[in-house]
């Protein structure tokens, strides 16, 4: 068991790697525990939480709405949650985002913790204190920064995870390595298959090192005024792709493509050597992730863009989605580039310049 | 002009007393300013904000809902608000609560400030970083703790305020004095009429001293784990009265009655002398505020409680509403009592004990 801590302004988080999910009560403050999970997670893991009350939420990105949050508020009210209670999300990033936001705003904030059941959530989404829901098609437009009290990573839970889900997590792990830990990047190059096949020593080391990158950055800049922006490496273009494909391109795939675009820009600006961009592409391929949009995706976009040329349609749709990125500040985007493997730099860029490399 | 500051974990607030409302741009971070106000406030004060964009919200407590928050999110999206923007609520506590919550959760938090137009909001509601909306009839069930960047108290704006509104503010001023400033309490005893008739020196001193009490408490305990609970003096019973009367008993009146109940309990427990409870009652009467529920209120409650005796109906309805108080913690309420004028103490009490004094 390894333990990491985040001491943030919005709370302190204890991250416990290799802990059993059923140990939740050890980490809550002692009042009523209410678990939040979807039907599928309940069927897989519900038995681990004997005697604790469970509230069900919908599945998938479509459930990440204000309507779902209101349903949770209603349940919390019914169950008589008070400020001594603890809300625990069990599931992937969506369950954590949704339950985290509901808990952070119910009674102006009740205690909450996470038991992430996906690699993506364990290695990334459950840690850092961001929560939120989508609004009118924009991802995470509504939310807060609030640190969970605890995050328990039970690696046994990953065994029921289908391979594409593992790849989703791998995309974020590669991101963490690329922006902050060259040694971890090499480790992933050498051990990609072992991590994806859940070899315990490999996955524990990889998740731990990813979370070290993330906790350091979050602690330095909890509310994303500077340093934390580095965690968005690949995400600016990635979010735009997710948005315009209406979820057909998964988060991990979109971020993989987004990282390649950002690497290309980094090379074009003379900030990074071509061989480092190549290493990034190679590792993504090794993990089974895309490095550019494929023809089918482009076809789907064509329908939206009407008479434009295929390549232009794609580019224009991506730019249009980025225009409404919530990180846009006075018309400029804080775009994350690389100066090499393990070293990120945030650069203010206009949309036009980014467009040249799409 | 007098300036007070709150340095909270969730942000820093500059409170400027005697500043002109039209000086808003001096205090915002420099990006787009979006003002949020209702139609009536716009008609009265809209002209003061030349060249700034205005978003309208509904009037009154009924507007303090998640639906209104969603309308604001939609407007923010339309107007292209980004993290460099500033949302400014102009109005009473409702506008501040609503716009504050929307701003604190939009893009995980954009900058916001308040220009309170009522005495209640200037002397109390706009300061301290609590925001929120009602849910299923429960006041402020949903919200966050987030400090506004600035609060501008323009006393000229109070001139259009009807007398009952001034009394609402006076109830909270008396509360602040009762829990934290015996000298201010004496000042209010001597100058109640001057404050209510807006004599500038009297009102500026009174509002300033109230905010000193509040800022000290908020800074010591931003998220209401201990000290801050003192600000709820009179509010536990008060909120229950507001709830069961379905808004027919105003906030100020409900708090006035609640303070008298709490004073009665303080005396019964031997914590405070009867003469101090009498002084509190006298000052409330001087301000034109009630000190107990009147027969009409009790009559309205009777309809709800059916066959119960009048007195019991009232008591049971109040207790039932308190049972769902969001400050309830593991079945107990943190109830605020007085040890004398200017000195509050938080005591854990069960509902039964409170019920004996209703």
């Amino acid at each position: 068991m390894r333990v990491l801590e985040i001491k943030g302004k919005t709370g302190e988080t204890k991250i416990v790697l290799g802990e059993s999910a059923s140990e939740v009560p050890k980490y809550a403050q002692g009042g009523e525990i209410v678990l939040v999970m979807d039907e599928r997670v309940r069927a897989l893991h519900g038995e681990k939480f004997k005697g604790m009350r469970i509230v069900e939420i919908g599945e998938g990105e479509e459930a990440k709405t204000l309507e779902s949050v209101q349903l949770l508020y209603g349940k919390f009210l019914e169950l008589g949650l008070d400020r001594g209670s603890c809300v625990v999300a069990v599931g992937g990033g969506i369950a954590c985002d949704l339950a985290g936001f509901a808990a952070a705003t119910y009674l102006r904030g009740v205690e909450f913790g996470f038991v992430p059941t996906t690699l993506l959530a364990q290695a990334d989404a459950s840690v850092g204190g961001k929560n939120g829901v989508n609004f009118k098609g924009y991802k995470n437009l509504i939310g807060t920064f609030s640190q969970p009290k605890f995050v328990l990573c039970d690696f046994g839970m990953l065994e029921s995870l289908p391979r594409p889900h593992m790849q989703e997590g791998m995309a974020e792990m590669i991101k963490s390595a690329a922006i902050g830990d060259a040694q971890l990047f090499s480790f992933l190059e050498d051990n990609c298959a072992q991590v994806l096949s859940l070899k315990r020593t490999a996955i524990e080391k990889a998740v731990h090192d990813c979370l070290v990158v993330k906790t350091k950055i979050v602690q330095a800049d909890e509310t994303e005024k500077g340093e934390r922006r580095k965690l968005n490496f690949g995400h600016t273009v990635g979010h735009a792709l997710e948005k315009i494909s209406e979820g057909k391109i998964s988060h991990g795939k979109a971020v993989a493509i987004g990282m390649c675009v950002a690497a290309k820009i980094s090379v074009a600006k003379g900030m990074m050597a071509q061989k480092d961009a190549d290493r990034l592409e190679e590792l993504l391929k090794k993990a089974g992730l895309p490095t550019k949009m494929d023809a089918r995706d482009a076809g789907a976009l064509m329908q939206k863009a009407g008479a434009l040329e295929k390549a232009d349609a794609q580019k224009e749709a991506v730019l249009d989605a980025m225009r409404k990125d919530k990180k846009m500040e006075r018309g400029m985007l804080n775009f994350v580039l690389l100066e090499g493997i393990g070293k990120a730099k945030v650069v203010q860029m206009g949309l036009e310049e980014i467009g040249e490399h799409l």
Side-chain angles (χ1 to χ4, degrees), chain A:
Chain A
M1 230 162 63
R2 306 200 205 190
V3 177
L4 287 169
E5 277 177 8
I6 296 183
K7 289 190 199 303
K9 281 185 188 175
T10 63
E12 296 185 7
T13 305
K14 187 171 210 165
I15 307 164
V16 193
L17 293 99
E19 176 61 288
S20 162
S22 55
E23 296 296 335
V24 157
K26 247 171 63 184
Y27 299 92
Q29 64 183 317
E32 173 108 42
I33 294 172
V34 174
L35 300 162
V36 176
M37 60 186 84
D38 67 28
E39 204 184 335
R40 217 180 46 77
V41 169
R42 186 179 195 162
L44 283 168
H45 305 295
E47 282 208 342
K48 297 187 174 75
F49 306 97
K50 288 206 178 73
M52 297 175 233
R53 293 208 264 186
I54 296 179
V55 172
E56 273 192 24
I57 50 171
E59 247 173 83
E61 195 71 27
E62 308 81 60
K64 232 175 95 174
T65 61
L66 287 167
E67 289 67 41
S68 299
V69 173
Q70 293 201 45
L71 287 176
L72 280 178
Y73 291 154
K75 290 283 182 192
F76 294 168
L77 194 59
E78 260 176 62
L79 294 173
L81 249 75
D82 66 28
R83 288 194 175 164
S85 306
C86 182
V87 172
V88 182
V90 184
I94 292 164
C96 296
D97 275 1
L98 188 56
F101 181 60
T105 50
Y106 190 74
L107 307 180
R108 295 203 186 90
V110 295
E111 184 184 279
F112 62 98
F114 297 145
V115 180
T117 59
T118 66
L119 181 58
L120 177 64
Q122 290 191 351
D124 187 68
S126 65
V127 166
K130 278 187 178 184
N131 60 46
V133 295
N134 306 329
F135 186 74
K136 300 205 173 175
Y138 293 93
K139 279 184 71 93
N140 304 319
L141 198 81
I142 310 303
T144 71
F145 290 99
S146 318
Q147 299 299 336
K149 189 79 179 293
F150 58 85
V151 178
L152 306 187
C153 293
D154 179 341
F155 297 114
M157 289 178 126
L158 300 181
E159 276 155 26
S160 54
L161 213 63
R163 190 173 171 96
H165 279 250
M166 290 297 292
Q167 290 168 324
E168 289 294 297
M170 189 53 102
E172 293 288 354
M173 295 177 98
I174 294 171
K175 177 204 76 177
S176 296
I179 62 168
D181 189 344
Q183 186 274 335
L184 173 60
F185 196 91
S186 301
F187 179 83
L188 292 176
E189 288 177 317
D190 297 338
N191 296 277
C192 183
Q194 284 85 332
V195 173
L196 286 175
S197 61
L198 281 169
K199 200 169 156 240
R200 191 62 60 102
T201 49
I203 196 144
E204 184 161 327
K205 181 202 160 43
V207 170
H208 175 268
D209 290 1
C210 281
L211 292 181
V212 169
V213 171
K214 185 151 187 183
T215 54
K216 266 191 208 157
I217 289 177
V218 168
Q219 205 150 283
D221 171 31
E222 200 171 356
T223 54
E224 200 167 310
K225 310 275 185 214
E227 183 78 2
R228 185 166 183 159
R229 291 174 178 141
K230 290 180 180 172
L231 293 171
N232 293 320
F233 177 55
H235 281 62
T236 306
V237 170
H239 276 158
L241 289 175
E242 275 183 273
K243 178 162 171 45
I244 58 169
S245 75
E246 290 169 351
K248 278 182 211 80
I249 306 179
S250 71
H251 182 72
K253 286 179 180 170
V255 168
I257 297 167
M259 288 193 280
C260 291
V261 172
K264 205 166 116 187
I265 298 177
S266 309
V267 173
K269 279 182 168 289
M271 285 169 57
M272 181 167 73
Q274 181 62 47
K275 73 165 174 36
D276 284 339
D278 294 342
R279 276 180 72 191
L280 178 65
E281 250 193 67
E282 281 314 306
L283 179 52
L284 289 168
K285 282 182 187 163
K286 202 180 271 187
L289 289 160
T291 57
K292 55 182 180 227
M293 286 182 74
D294 71 14
R296 264 176 315 163
D297 300 327
L301 297 178
M302 274 299 287
Q303 296 177 317
K304 307 190 85 173
L308 284 168
E309 285 301 306
K310 196 177 263 194
D312 273 354
Q314 212 170 291
K315 189 171 134 177
E316 285 310 315
V318 172
L319 284 174
D320 190 52
M322 282 199 289
R323 204 162 280 129
K324 286 166 184 158
D325 191 298
K326 68 175 169 303
K327 288 165 193 104
M328 180 75 76
E329 214 172 301
R330 296 173 213 175
M332 297 291 273
L333 273 171
N334 293 296
F335 202 82
V336 188
L337 300 174
L338 294 184
E339 298 184 297
I341 296 300
K343 201 154 178 238
K345 189 178 177 176
V346 182
V347 177
Q348 287 237 328
M349 285 179 78
L351 280 180
E352 263 180 48
E353 192 182 352
I354 299 169
E356 286 166 21
H357 300 277
L358 284 172

